[in-house]
Amino acid sequence: MPRAAATVRTVLRPLMRLAWHPRIDGASHVPATGPVILASNHLSFQDSVLIPLSAPRPVSFLAKAEYFEGHGAGGLLRRQFFAGLGAIPVRRGVNREFQSSLDAALALLEAGGAFGIYPEGTRSRDGRLHRGRTGVAWLAMASGAPVVPVAVVGTARLGSAAALLPGAARPAVRFGPVLEFPAHRGNAGSAPARRRVTDQIMDAIGALSGQQRAHTYNPPPGDEPG
């Protein structure tokens, strides 16, 4: 792990535990080495901080390119923060750039790294678990990497005033058993296969999160891509 990322992770993990007291379950399901995809539901901006700091190994997520921009000390600190978390920048609404980000994620997996993705594509605005987009299946099928389903619970409250009350917004991160799709390796070009794999992943996430299923896509994304 690069020195900057190791420093950010070392500093932020105890601060995260002190501020949020998260309940972390099933972290042993995350393979200690080798490529792995962490596929999670998405309720809050804080998910992209909480999951990497709760996982037992560094995890990279896609993040809005705007987070890496800006001038002055504030812009520099923000870039260092997201770079330290291993974030991969992507510009919203630009298909070519999004595919480039998936290619970067594939390269990370092929190098033995851990990559986190939100199959819903954006934060759930109604608290339900929406239908997954098939980029997660493309990555799993193209790389052969196992998928660990992840559920975040209670993170939507972390940005509210109620979160200031002691114990009022204690979130949870739940890591589920590994999913593997050896029969689909190399079949990433098949849309029906990508849909089947994505639906299996979403079923596993839903079983962990307990969310009501929407079986629809989210509204047009206005948040970070997944």
Side-chain angles (χ1 to χ4, degrees):
M1 183 177 15
R3 182 177 300 177
T7 300
V8 169
R9 186 174 168 86
T10 299
V11 170
L12 290 183
R13 288 190 82 177
L15 292 178
M16 178 267 291
R17 293 178 182 273
L18 180 64
W20 293 338
H21 304 286
R23 293 181 290 267
I24 302 171
D25 300 316
S28 61
H29 290 304
V30 180
T33 60
V36 63
I37 299 167
L38 274 62
S40 178
N41 63 328
H42 195 16
L43 301 174
S44 167
F45 162 81
Q46 285 86 350
D47 299 339
S48 297
V49 177
L50 186 62
I51 295 172
L53 295 179
S54 298
R57 58 183 287 191
V59 180
S60 295
F61 272 86
L62 299 182
K64 290 188 290 189
E66 291 92 329
Y67 292 154
F68 294 82
E69 299 169 353
H71 304 286
L76 177 61
L77 287 174
R78 188 166 61 248
R79 284 193 295 275
Q80 289 181 333
F81 174 80
F82 283 101
L85 286 178
I88 299 173
V90 58
R91 197 166 300 281
R92 295 175 298 175
V94 182
N95 289 335
R96 182 179 301 174
E97 190 140 345
F98 182 69
Q99 182 59 49
S100 295
S101 298
L102 284 180
D103 291 340
L106 180 60
L108 183 147
L109 292 169
E110 291 175 339
F115 178 71
I117 189 169
Y118 303 116
E120 292 171 278
T122 187
R123 285 179 265 185
S124 173
R125 293 166 176 79
D126 57 15
R128 296 184 297 171
L129 184 66
H130 290 257
R131 196 178 193 207
R133 291 166 166 80
T134 60
V136 62
W138 182 87
L139 278 176
M141 296 160 71
S143 67
V147 177
V148 173
V150 182
V152 289
V153 179
T155 57
R157 297 191 299 268
L158 291 177
S160 69
L164 299 177
L165 301 175
R170 188 182 182 193
V173 184
R174 301 168 183 163
F175 299 94
V178 165
L179 304 174
E180 296 189 81
F181 309 97
H184 293 295
R185 179 71 192 269
N187 200 25
S190 168
R194 292 197 305 271
R195 171 47 55 196
R196 286 193 295 270
V197 169
T198 299
D199 288 346
Q200 290 180 51
I201 293 169
M202 297 308 295
D203 287 345
I205 295 172
L208 288 170
S209 71
Q211 291 169 279
Q212 180 183 353
R213 300 291 294 274
H215 298 292
T216 60
Y217 293 115
N218 274 323
D223 301 299
E224 58 266 41

